[in-house]
Amino acid sequence: MEIVSPTQKERLASSGILTSIVGALLVGCYSAFVPGRPITHAAAVRDLTVSGLAFLVYLAVAIPFGHRYCVRSVTRATEAVEAGDVDKFLRLPLTVARMTLWIWLIAAVVFTALQFGLDHDAYRSLRNFDAVALAGCITAASEYLGAEWILRPSFGKVLRGRAPQRPSTISVRHRLRLSWVLGSGVPLLAIVLTPFSLGPGTHVDLVPTFVVLGCLGLLVGWLLAERSARSVTEPLGALKEALAQVEAGDLDVVLEVNDGGDIGTVQSGFNAALEGLRDRRRIEQLFGMQVGREVAQLAIERGAHLGVERTECSVLFVDVISSSALVNSLPPEEVARLLSRLFDVVVRAVHAEGGWVNKFQGDGAMCVFGPPANYDDHAARALRASRTLRRELLALSVESTGFDAAVGVSSGDVVAGTMGSADRYEYTVLGRPVHEAARLTEAAKQRLGRVLASEETVERAGREAAAWVVSTELQLRGVPHPVRTFEPAPAAEVVSPPV
């Protein structure tokens, strides 16, 4: 990926040359309009000629050096991005501006020394230093703002929508300060410094006026700039803190709208966007409770209609024994309470092994281990969950006499995906394991252990198979061939999943 285009590089070079020319014009204007000690015509021609030649020589050296330094800085910053150091690239405008400032400060020293060597006039030399140094400050600041604007598309490519790990460019407050320095600070400072470079006896009566007005302008301008910066940065700081809370998972943040302009629009927009996120979270939670977290997450990532795919999984059925007798012997409220307890036990046991409840069917439940997660050890997870379920169901039957349930587990190939009409569909699995697990559950109701698993499931279970023993071979209704079944060993211990 090309981070900095050739066009951007050309614009960076052109920006540096243009700002340097503007700085040179500022130096010329300052030198031309600030009065000084009278000098002879011959001396003026000599000084102008020597200074002009020196200026041309300096430009011939400084501009190519600055251009080469700028190109090298861009190359190194790009290489740093490839090495993972994004911050170095983000500091590129500051690097370019720092280089520009050093070139101008060196020029200030060189031309001040040259001027003093020509006429030994300390005041005129000081005026030269003031002019070049102040113009250098304006040029460097302008270069920074220009480079940051030119490189903004490249910053977007580098950051890729993520915030930088640490601030690598100047803040909004500092940018406002920099704009004030460019527009008011440097000119006012020039007014303050000018009387000190005029020399003795030159408009002495104006010196206090220059100094007082200049200092007053600096002070008032700085205070107003600070107040203006604070009015922008404080709301942005609150917005930054609110965003940090949102990134940490707190969606209950409400940002105070305390501005009637653009900032207030941003604050209000943040609150509206966050309200949308809260609504989405509530929908996701409700959706997840209806279809399971895994299916809900997959639907969010891929879209509502997930399609159908062939895969392998394990299916676990749970069904209450003698549910008709239970309904006839207990009030409806008590039956509902018992079923809620049952389903709570089922959900906790199944979720603990990475499975999910596909549907509640009256007084039973169908649970899936595998899609959409596609675990390789889905059979072992299903068998562990069934043994956990049996222990929990025994405890529940002690609390509620006569209440019991059976469990059946089967594994194999299925098709998984969303099925139904365009207006109403659900994510489910279809195939032999679904039918076989349901029939095993019916058969388990006649067994003392109340849990039966198919031979294929146990063979796929790895170490978990050691906790199961052969039960019997059954001819299940709707299954064309006999099925060899297994049930938990009497003293089976829980086999933890491999780490």
Side-chain angles (χ1 to χ4, degrees), residues 24-90:
L25 292 175
L26 291 175
V27 173
C29 292
Y30 184 85
S31 302
F33 291 101
V34 174
R37 190 178 65 180
I39 56 176
T40 62
H41 178 72
V45 172
R46 180 202 64 190
D47 291 354
L48 183 61
T49 302
V50 174
S51 298
L53 290 174
F55 180 71
L56 292 176
V57 171
Y58 190 84
L59 286 180
V61 174
I63 291 179
F65 172 80
H67 180 267
R68 184 176 179 183
Y69 183 90
C70 181
V71 171
R72 180 182 295 181
S73 298
V74 171
T75 302
R76 289 179 177 176
T78 305
E79 293 173 351
V81 171
E82 297 173 353
D85 187 4
V86 175
D87 293 334
K88 186 172 183 178
F89 188 86
L90 298 178

Side-chain angles (χ1 to χ4, degrees), residues 379-381 383-384 387 458 461-468 493-495:
R381 292 170 181 267
L383 292 178
R384 283 196 300 268
R387 292 196 291 114
V458 176
R463 292 193 303 157
E464 170 63 20
W468 294 75
E493 296 180 356
V494 177
V495 179

